[in-house]
Amino acid sequence: MAWGAVTAFLLKFADERAIANPGFFYTVVAFSQVGSRASVGWLADRVKPAYTVIPALCFGSVALLMLSATHSQPMLLASGLLYGLGLASTQTSIVALVVGRVTPRGLGAAMATYTMAWDVGLVLGGVVF
């Protein structure tokens, strides 16, 4: 839900704080997500995926706290870097948990349910917040 709220309100937030070019935040998030997915995927295979979820959620939480206190573009970009790492790591870790805990026969339904919940949370984040 938090990502939905960030995407819905970041431009207004940056405008209120007089932060130039807030769109670059999304570029930083995207690049950090690519790096995170490449590294967390193999890490979740080497250790239990449950061990990667908590640090990923912590990265995302710290990033949101940083974002709430942002008054400059460098801090906005730093929070984007951490948020991209946290968001992609969380999603990758939870997918590994789902795949590891479901029988092959139920994998399609489990992934569909997970993906739907992720998307509904994204949409509700912008609307609810």
Side-chain angles (χ1 to χ4, degrees):
M1 287 182 75
W3 181 239
V6 168
T7 58
F9 299 113
L10 183 71
L11 296 178
K12 177 124 177 88
F13 174 79
D15 189 43
E16 288 177 357
R17 303 269 173 115
I19 299 172
N21 196 10
F24 198 47
F25 172 87
Y26 297 107
T27 303
V28 172
V29 169
F31 279 114
S32 65
Q33 283 182 330
V34 169
S36 175
R37 289 187 199 282
S39 60
V40 172
W42 69 264
L43 182 62
D45 287 339
R46 295 190 192 281
V47 300
K48 290 183 179 179
Y51 295 151
T52 59
V53 172
I54 300 299
L57 290 171
C58 289
F59 272 115
S61 298
V62 168
L64 289 172
L65 289 172
M66 280 179 63
L67 183 61
S68 71
T70 294
H71 288 282
S72 67
Q73 189 173 29
M75 194 164 175
L76 179 72
L77 298 179
S79 68
L81 177 73
L82 283 178
Y83 197 67
L85 290 171
L87 187 64
S89 297
T90 299
Q91 188 176 27
T92 303
S93 299
I94 293 174
V95 165
L97 278 170
V98 168
V99 168
R101 293 182 177 189
V102 150
T103 64
R105 185 172 174 94
L107 186 58
M111 287 305 301
T113 302
Y114 168 73
T115 303
M116 181 188 64
W118 188 273
D119 291 343
V120 167
L122 176 68
V123 170
L124 287 178
V127 173
V128 170
F129 290 114

